[in-house]
Amino acid sequence: MYKASPKRKEIVEKSKSVREKEIKQNSNFFAKHLKRIYPITLQRSTSSSFSLSSISLSLSQNSTDSVSTDSNSTLEQKISLALGLISSPHRREIFVPKSIPQQLCQDFNSSDEPKRCNWITKKSDEVYVMFHDQQWGVPVYDDNLLFEFLAMSGMLMDYNWTEILKRKEHFREAFCEFDPNRVAKMGEKEIAEIASNKAIMLQESRVRCIVDNAKCITKVVNEFGSFSSFVWGFMDYKPIINKFKYSRNVPLRSPKAEIISKDMIKRGFRFVGPVIVHSFMQAAGLTIDHLVDCFRHGDCVSLAERPWRHI
């Protein structure tokens, strides 16, 4: 059997010691910089794996056009780029090396703003944005709130959502928090006072329509137990979950809105055409019409998939 000389053995052991020292130094470097960070596109989880390959995936998805580094890029620049695109959940500032184009920096700074339906723009009024983010598309089961959305949807014949929402508190005060029983009992004096209120800006015919619809709701409640049961009964107690990618695909009316409109008109409701009813369905979450890439789509779908809970 071959036996290595003492001198050769000493050289091999020394070489092995040097390699182990280099490996330890490299691992300490990465541990120091990576143990406190995780990719922007991932959630911090005890079960999720983390590696530089996942950072590369994040880079390729977010900077296909902006960061096409040439063949002369060094390993140091690439690592700096990866670290620059990763932010601590407790900090908003993002480090970006000088070699990264300014456009990429702007893209990542704007990523703090959630993706919304594209009819919400930078010029959209705050009250409209808040309505989109908090109410529009959330399934509603409360009779008073359903009545409120039906009334406001009818106002779309004269105003847009922003104008209506800015006067919402005035409407609630004038129409007794949209309690159908109280509104149904309003007489000529109350109707005239509301119509003459400059803060509300509703024609007398519109005010009468809301009062008449309140009377219809009280009849529906006697028959179905609640206005909520009546409305959601058309939906088989489950919202319609749409997956529209573009705003042009979102309809102004729908077959279900046609059916509900026809039934409501037979019962004496006014200003409840298919377009108004569909707007009502969208606002009250009977149909989920947020675009699929909007951050609210998933939230509303999660609420819609819960077992129906009538209050």
Side-chain angles (χ1 to χ4, degrees), residues 106-121:
Q106 294 174 354
D107 290 343
F108 277 89
N109 282 329
S110 63
S111 65
D112 289 338
E113 190 71 16
K115 176 69 175 178
R116 295 183 173 93
C117 298
N118 59 16
W119 52 83
I120 301 293
T121 67

Side-chain angles (χ1 to χ4, degrees), residues 132-185:
H132 168 275
D133 290 359
Q134 299 179 6
Q135 289 186 295
W136 197 76
V138 175
V140 174
Y141 306 97
D142 178 73
D143 278 9
N144 290 17
L145 191 52
L146 285 169
F147 179 31
E148 177 181 307
F149 280 144
L150 181 64
M152 291 197 299
S153 296
M155 296 175 195
L156 290 170
M157 296 182 65
D158 302 309
Y159 304 105
N160 59 41
W161 272 119
T162 299
E163 294 169 330
I164 294 169
L165 293 168
K166 284 185 174 181
R167 300 199 292 273
K168 182 173 66 175
E169 294 305 320
H170 294 295
F171 296 142
R172 286 180 172 176
E173 183 179 353
F175 292 105
C176 309
E177 300 296 322
F178 286 96
D179 182 338
N181 293 314
R182 295 174 64 185
V183 175
K185 295 176 182 177

Side-chain angles (χ1 to χ4, degrees), residues 242-247 249-251 278 287-293 297:
N242 292 310
K243 296 181 180 180
F244 300 122
K245 188 174 182 180
Y246 306 105
S247 57
N249 300 135
V250 181
H278 189 72
T287 179
I288 309 300
D289 279 357
H290 283 284
L291 301 184
V292 289
D293 60 350
H297 184 273

Side-chain angles (χ1 to χ4, degrees), residues 42-57:
L42 299 180
Q43 297 290 333
R44 189 190 293 251
S45 171
T46 56
S47 60
S48 61
S49 59
F50 175 75
S51 65
L52 281 175
S53 62
S54 61
I55 300 179
S56 300
L57 177 62

Side-chain angles (χ1 to χ4, degrees), residues 75-117:
L75 176 61
E76 182 181 353
Q77 288 177 322
K78 292 180 180 179
I79 293 177
S80 297
L81 175 60
L83 295 176
L85 298 178
I86 298 172
S87 174
S88 167
H90 304 295
R91 295 185 293 116
R92 281 194 172 274
E93 66 272 18
I94 299 177
F95 166 74
V96 183
K98 293 181 180 180
S99 59
I100 296 181
Q102 186 63 28
Q103 181 61 42
L104 181 62
C105 177
Q106 294 174 354
D107 290 343
F108 277 89
N109 282 329
S110 63
S111 65
D112 289 338
E113 190 71 16
K115 176 69 175 178
R116 295 183 173 93
C117 298

